[in-house]
Amino acid sequence: MMLHRRLLHKSLRALFDSRVCATTRVEILDWLLSPKDCSNAFSYHACCALFGLDSEVIRDRVLERYRRRDPR
């Protein structure tokens, strides 16, 4: 469970970290946009479900913030 929490937290923070390369950000976005029926134990949806979080609400808020970010 600690690994799931760390993956979720670290991935969402890295998405907005200007020091993170574009390739890594694309990988995080792919993970975030993965299908809900993905059977991977470490999928974005599985990580959210473990903590009782609504993955779609969080994803929508994160993507909205990502679209508005300052690219500098």
Side-chain angles (χ1 to χ4, degrees):
M1 208 154 115
M2 290 291 287
L3 288 174
H4 291 89
R5 178 175 299 178
R6 181 139 171 87
L7 175 62
L8 185 60
H9 183 259
K10 191 171 182 180
S11 295
L12 295 180
R13 284 186 59 109
L15 190 58
F16 297 97
D17 187 338
S18 62
R19 298 169 296 178
V20 172
C21 71
T23 302
T24 300
R25 282 196 297 274
V26 167
E27 289 173 355
I28 293 167
L29 288 169
D30 286 345
W31 178 71
L32 195 66
L33 295 168
S34 65
K36 195 168 191 171
D37 61 355
C38 179
S39 62
N40 183 337
F42 286 92
S43 72
Y44 165 71
H45 296 285
C47 289
C48 287
L50 246 148
F51 302 105
L53 303 172
D54 187 326
S55 60
E56 293 180 24
V57 169
I58 292 171
R59 181 195 58 218
D60 291 347
R61 288 179 182 171
V62 168
L63 291 177
E64 179 61 30
R65 182 176 167 211
Y66 187 75
R67 286 183 197 105
R68 290 191 325 245
R69 79 191 188 295
D70 185 357
R72 286 186 275 162

